[in-house]
Amino acid sequence: MASKRSTIGAIIKLDGESSFRNSISNCKNAVSAMKSELSNIIKSYDGSANSLQALTEVQAKYSDIQQRAHEQAEKMATAYEKSSKKQDEVKESMEQMKTAYAEAQKTLERMQTSGTETAEAIEEQEKATDAAYKAYLQYESAVEKAESRTGYFQKALADAKGEEIEAGEAIKKYASYIEEAKNSTDGVASSIDGYGNEIKKAGES
């Protein structure tokens, strides 16, 4: 069993896979830490979270998150592309193995019904057919694992892009708050209160 796993592992081997996988957890930890820092910044300005200084610091932290997510999205795009390419290669090899097995099976059937082949020759062909079948099954399993890995990187890419988009939207929102604070007489934004909560204007639900 271990031999079969190692064989499949060799078939679908992807350069840099370990680094790609490690970067996923590293990015999650980094973004989680920055979000905690973000929460602490807002708490440190309890009652004055709508001040220009507070808004600027919050926006800067969102920029850090966006940058980290962007870097991760680029890395995952590379991982997804490489994994997809390897998956296609393994699928192509599987189809070749399937064809080889079918041809070996046909050859065996012809030999068995010919009446002219020796028992030894038929036995050898049976072994060859069995080997071809086992090779096909290995590649079939390899395709499944390759597809699973590609899906894993595809989700990681979507997650990173989602974090980047979310942070980008927050940056834009805080840019408008900062503009409000700069243009106000008291130096605070009017669309957010001192505790970081958005203020709904009349007519908004």
Side-chain angles (χ1 to χ4, degrees):
M1 192 71 175
S3 177
K4 181 178 179 181
R5 284 198 296 268
S6 63
T7 300
I8 291 174
I11 291 171
I12 67 171
K13 180 176 173 58
L14 185 69
D15 290 339
E17 179 175 357
S18 178
S19 175
F20 288 138
R21 288 182 178 274
N22 288 339
S23 75
I24 293 173
S25 58
N26 290 342
C27 179
K28 285 181 179 178
N29 291 338
V31 170
S32 178
M34 284 188 278
K35 285 184 176 180
S36 293
E37 291 169 6
L38 183 62
S39 179
N40 288 335
I41 290 171
I42 294 173
K43 287 178 182 177
S44 71
Y45 285 99
D46 195 33
S48 60
N50 55 353
S51 67
L52 181 59
Q53 184 175 346
L55 296 171
T56 301
E57 285 191 36
V58 170
Q59 187 192 49
K61 185 54 63 177
Y62 272 120
S63 292
D64 291 341
I65 294 173
Q66 183 189 47
Q67 179 60 31
R68 186 67 178 82
H70 176 71
E71 291 170 357
Q72 181 65 9
E74 288 188 330
K75 186 171 288 187
M76 287 303 97
T78 299
Y80 175 63
E81 182 182 353
K82 284 189 172 183
S83 186
S84 295
K85 184 178 179 181
K86 176 61 71 172
Q87 178 182 313
D88 290 341
E89 290 173 358
V90 176
K91 275 186 176 180
E92 184 178 348
S93 295
M94 182 195 72
E95 291 301 325
Q96 292 172 354
M97 295 296 174
K98 185 177 182 180
T99 299
Y101 166 61
E103 290 176 352
Q105 184 67 30
K106 286 180 182 178
T107 299
L108 176 61
E109 290 172 357
R110 283 197 302 269
M111 291 174 69
Q112 289 173 332
T113 58
S114 68
T116 59
E117 299 290 343
T118 64
E120 290 79 7
I122 291 175
E123 184 179 353
E124 285 300 313
Q125 186 57 33
E126 285 176 342
K127 290 179 181 178
T129 302
D130 184 57
Y133 180 61
K134 287 179 179 178
Y136 163 63
L137 290 182
Q138 279 191 330
Y139 271 83
E140 188 177 49
S141 295
V143 167
E144 291 178 0
K145 289 186 178 297
E147 288 175 339
S148 175
R149 178 177 61 195
T150 300
Y152 177 74
F153 287 135
Q154 184 178 29
K155 183 180 183 303
L157 172 58
D159 289 345
K161 283 185 175 180
E163 287 285 4
E164 183 181 4
I165 291 170
E166 186 177 312
E169 290 174 346
I171 290 169
K172 290 179 182 177
K173 184 182 290 185
Y174 272 83
S176 67
Y177 295 158
I178 289 170
E179 193 63 26
E180 285 180 0
K182 285 181 177 179
N183 295 327
S184 67
T185 55
D186 55 3
V188 299
S190 59
S191 297
I192 188 173
D193 64 21
Y195 301 95
N197 302 308
E198 285 189 41
I199 298 173
K200 293 189 179 296
K201 297 177 181 178
E204 289 184 345
S205 55

